[in-house]
């Protein structure tokens, strides 16, 4: 009985402690219920459309993150905020917010930058060819022509006119030998003079095509009308180097002067191409008189300004 009397107070204390724990558990349950109610209310607010505030959102704007529920709300959002709807690919994001979508977007952004760089590199204009890349003999030709008052231009290697050019400079005689092509109006074919000295009179080089020989009998037959007309009935001209489409202007040449005098102040591409016609016929060009030094040319009958 004594032992039972001594244990009774301990059971009373344990029952009181259990009642206190139960009370605290009830308070925690009530607090959790209240917090759950508050969270439910805030969660419901986060799921609503930010434009109409009536329906749950279905879409999220990639540009600003606004939540919308329909196409009408998307358009209203863009009109109200002037949002483009495109995500800023260069916007800083911390590592904790980086996901698969952001990672793939960054990779696509780098691929686009590489593509733009490659396109810009392919579309880069080709730099002009430097004169230092020309062979020595071509530099000599250009220098000797410039010294005689003629601007000589060369085409790219492989061009037909470049391969046909036989113009050369004789250093011992200090003489420039031109290739000259003659194109007679109304006559098929091109007639060329391979070695014409720059000091030779132009009429002598032209009359050589009218002289009958065993090798050029067919050519003389084609040029019989020009041979009958003589030098007084022939007009020779050199087309301008740079012309607008349909311009059709040419320098009139003096057949009684040397080739160097006729080319003074002119621009020649590879070699001179002289167009020959009969007087009284349409030469196919508007003949101009060129300034011996300037070489710009002035139409016949017009005054310089």
């Amino acid at each position: 009985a004594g032992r039972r009397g001594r244990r009774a107070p301990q059971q009373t204390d344990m029952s009181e402690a259990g009642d206190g724990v139960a009370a605290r558990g009830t308070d925690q349950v009530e607090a959790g219920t209240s917090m759950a109610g508050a969270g439910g209310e805030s969660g419901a607010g986060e799921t609503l459309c930010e434009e109409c505030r009536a329906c749950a959102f279905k879409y999220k704007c990639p540009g600003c993150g606004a939540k919308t529920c329909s196409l009408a709300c998307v358009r209203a959002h863009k009109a109200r905020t002037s949002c483009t709807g495109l995500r800023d690919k260069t916007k800083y994001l911390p590592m904790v917010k980086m996901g698969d979508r952001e990672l793939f977007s960054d990779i696509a952004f780098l691929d686009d930058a590489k593509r733009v760089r490659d396109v810009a590199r392919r579309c880069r204009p080709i730099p002009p060819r430097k004169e230092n890349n020309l062979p020595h003999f071509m530099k000599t030709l250009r220098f000797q022509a410039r010294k005689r008052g003629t601007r000589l231009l060369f085409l790219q290697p492989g061009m037909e006119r470049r391969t046909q050019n036989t113009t050369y400079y004789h250093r011992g005689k200090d003489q420039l030998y031109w290739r000259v092509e003659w194109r007679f109006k109304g006559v098929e074919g091109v007639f060329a003079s391979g070695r014409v000295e720059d000091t030779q009179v132009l009429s002598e080089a032209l009359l050589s095509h009218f002289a009958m020989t065993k090798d050029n009998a067919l050519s003389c037959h084609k040029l019989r009308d020009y041979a009958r007309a003589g030098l007084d009935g022939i007009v020779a001209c050199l087309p301008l180097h740079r012309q607008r489409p349909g311009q059709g202007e040419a320098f009139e040449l003096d057949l009684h002067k040397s080739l160097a005098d006729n080319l003074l102040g002119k621009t020649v591409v590879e070699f001179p191409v002289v167009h020959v016609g009969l007087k009284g016929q349409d030469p196919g060009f508007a003949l101009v008189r060129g300034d011996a030094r300037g070489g710009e040319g002035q139409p016949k009958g017009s005054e310089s300004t």
Side-chain angles (χ1 to χ4, degrees), residues 2-21:
R3 291 177 184 176
R4 294 176 182 175
R6 288 195 295 269
R7 288 180 180 177
Q10 294 180 356
Q11 294 178 356
T12 304
D13 296 338
M14 293 176 63
S15 61
E16 292 177 355
D19 295 340
V21 171

Side-chain angles (χ1 to χ4, degrees), residues 138-150 152 169-171 174-176 178 198:
M138 297 182 68
K139 293 181 182 179
T140 303
L141 282 179
R142 176 173 289 180
F143 173 76
Q144 295 297 331
R146 186 186 299 117
K147 192 168 71 171
R148 290 163 173 78
T150 303
L152 179 59
Y169 171 70
H170 196 290
R171 188 178 300 274
D174 191 21
Q175 192 73 40
L176 197 61
W178 289 93
D198 58 348

Side-chain angles (χ1 to χ4, degrees), residues 263-297:
L263 295 181
L264 184 64
K266 310 297 191 305
T267 299
V268 175
V269 181
E270 294 290 345
F271 52 83
V273 179
V274 181
H275 292 253
V276 184
L278 296 173
K279 286 186 178 179
Q281 296 181 356
D282 183 14
F285 294 95
L287 300 180
V288 298
R289 291 192 181 97
D291 185 4
R293 297 187 181 277
E296 291 296 333

Side-chain angles (χ1 to χ4, degrees), residues 194-214:
R195 295 183 58 182
V196 179
E197 299 179 1
D198 58 348
T199 56
Q200 184 178 3
V201 178
L202 195 61
S203 60
E204 296 178 2
L206 178 60
L207 291 175
S208 64
H209 293 279
F210 300 156
M212 177 69 72
T213 61
K214 182 176 64 175

Side-chain angles (χ1 to χ4, degrees), residues 1 8-9 46 58 115 130 143 164 233 244 255 260 286 302:
E46 291 178 357
K58 298 180 181 179
R115 177 181 55 81
K130 296 182 179 180
F143 173 76
Q164 294 176 350
R244 296 184 299 273
L255 296 176
S302 64

Side-chain angles (χ1 to χ4, degrees), residues 17-94:
D19 295 340
V21 171
R24 288 196 299 270
T26 304
D27 296 338
Q28 290 178 358
V29 170
E30 293 177 355
T33 304
S34 60
M35 292 175 61
E41 294 176 357
S42 61
E46 291 178 357
T47 58
L48 292 179
C49 174
E50 296 182 5
E51 286 295 322
C52 63
R53 295 290 180 178
C55 302
F57 80 94
K58 298 180 181 179
Y59 313 105
K60 193 172 182 180
C61 179
C64 61
K67 300 174 182 178
T68 53
C69 64
S70 61
L71 179 60
C73 291
V74 171
R75 292 177 176 175
H77 159 68
K78 291 183 177 181
R80 180 175 59 84
T81 61
S82 300
C83 179
T84 59
L86 300 177
R87 190 179 72 87
D88 187 5
K89 297 181 180 180
T90 60
K91 183 180 179 181
Y92 171 76
L93 282 178

